[in-house]
Amino acid sequence: MITIIGAGVAGPLLAYMLHRAGIAVCVLEADASLDSRHQGGMLNLNEGTGKPALRAAGLFEAAMALVLPGADATLMRDEKGHVLYQDEGDGSRPEIDRGALRRLVVEALPAGIIRWNSRVTSIEPQGTGFHLTLGDGSTHVGEALVGADGAWSKVRPLLTAQKPLYSGITFVELRYRNVSQQYPAVKALVGNGSLFALSKGRGIMAHCEPGDKISAYAAIPVPEAQSRAAFTRDELVECFRGWGECYREMLAKSEGPLIARPVGVLPTGEFWSAEGNVTLIGDAAHVMSPFAGEGVNLAMADAVDLAQAIIAQPASLAVAFRQYQEAMAARTVHFQQESAANFAMGFAADAPRELLALFTGLASQAPGR
């Protein structure tokens, strides 16, 4: 049996394709259920990665039915709220709610393949397979292991000593519901799609979600020791002193807890040596900043490539894993470089000068412009 750790989007997608091919698979997930927590906001489906992956899995049309119309619009504002760049979008990078996409893939699987409330606490090689201990004290044995368990993967240490390096920036998550009625000023600031406001090493980014909701992230430079600290709204407002009053209202009036999300990245172009019946997909393999817009897209591409490699030679998993890894590494480096470059532009001392030039240049190259 192939054991997948992690039921985000990529883990269930891999399980779905393997199950359809008659290959025994299970997914161990720490969350208690599909609805245990908010999964993050919107993501775009990209031509070279996410879209073909969904087509290969036979889920493309179902995913497109969940797209939020017009959510690919983009606004860039300066620190006072003035518009620097505006693009209404053309539908080529449709936006979908991450939680809705996850639900689509999870619910395509038969009940029982995902074992909820199964947090992996330790992994030990056992012959050619693996012996896992779970949070409730139970154990699980798998013939082969795939880490789809994110930036702080429990599986990665089996292959490499690499850990994500802190970027120096922490995103503090903010959420707003019923924005048209309760937060019209926030809605006006964000527009119908995504907002980028970046200046002098900090920023505010936001996007519209289905159901008249908005998620936002206040990006601030903090030492690593404080990167997971609890922030108050007053502290956030102070971090953006000198910015326009429109942002003050946004920072002071969000709903629910403020969640700190330090931005960590794995080194560009450095991958592990393929070894035995274990491999990684998604952020476990190549976590990067969100400034390439490819995180979940690459994870889905990984899942499909690995599934196809396994299906082609189910009796030679080590070979299939090695072939997958070579293709994954070759594809990923470009996006790691793009992510790093865009992130540096976004939080440079003269931001958003270079990022604005990039946005404007990309818009001018779009078909029909």
Side-chain angles (χ1 to χ4, degrees), residues 108-346:
L109 283 166
I113 287 184
I114 298 179
R115 302 180 186 178
W116 301 99
N117 201 27
S118 296
R119 181 179 298 277
V120 175
T121 57
S122 69
I123 305 171
E124 297 293 337
Q126 186 177 73
T128 58
F130 301 90
H131 182 274
L132 285 66
T133 302
L134 307 183
D136 62 3
S138 64
T139 60
H140 173 86
V141 175
E143 173 190 358
L145 190 61
V146 179
D149 50 341
W152 296 100
S153 171
K154 292 282 189 181
V155 180
R156 191 190 300 119
L158 296 172
L159 293 164
T160 174
Q162 287 183 3
K163 296 180 180 179
L165 303 174
Y166 178 54
S167 66
I169 299 290
T170 286
F171 286 7
V172 181
E173 184 176 335
L174 314 169
R175 290 183 54 74
Y176 314 84
R177 294 177 294 180
N178 191 21
V179 291
S180 298
Q181 296 297 320
Q182 299 294 325
Y183 305 99
V186 173
K187 175 64 177 175
L189 194 64
V190 176
N192 294 322
S194 297
L195 166 71
F196 293 87
L198 302 157
S199 179
K200 299 176 183 176
R202 64 198 64 221
I204 296 173
M205 293 149 288
H207 46 245
C208 292
E209 297 180 354
D212 202 26
K213 300 174 185 176
I214 285 177
S215 283
Y217 300 92
I220 53 178
V222 295
E224 186 170 9
Q226 300 172 24
S227 62
R228 295 185 181 275
F231 289 87
T232 68
R233 288 172 174 80
D234 286 345
E235 287 171 336
L236 278 189
V237 168
E238 180 62 22
C239 284
F240 289 86
R241 183 197 297 179
W243 284 46
E245 187 64 28
C246 55
Y247 298 114
R248 174 184 292 271
E249 181 172 354
M250 187 178 190
L251 295 166
K253 294 186 177 180
S254 65
E255 298 181 357
L258 302 181
I259 303 172
R261 302 190 184 280
V263 178
V265 299
L266 285 169
T268 295
E270 296 183 21
F271 297 95
W272 61 93
S273 298
E275 183 177 336
N277 290 351
V278 57
T279 195
L280 307 169
I281 62 175
D283 280 356
H286 44 63
V287 66
M288 62 190 77
S289 89
F291 271 54
E294 283 286 355
V296 176
N297 285 274
L298 280 174
M300 291 191 291
D302 291 350
V304 168
D305 283 357
L306 180 55
Q308 291 174 339
I310 293 170
I311 292 166
Q313 44 192 341
S316 304
L317 290 178
V319 174
F321 285 9
R322 183 170 63 251
Q323 291 176 348
Y324 148 74
Q325 181 187 308
E326 290 171 355
M328 176 274 294
R331 173 180 57 230
T332 300
V333 171
H334 163 73
F335 295 110
Q336 289 179 317
Q337 293 170 337
E338 180 182 359
S339 169
N342 292 350
F343 191 80
M345 288 184 214

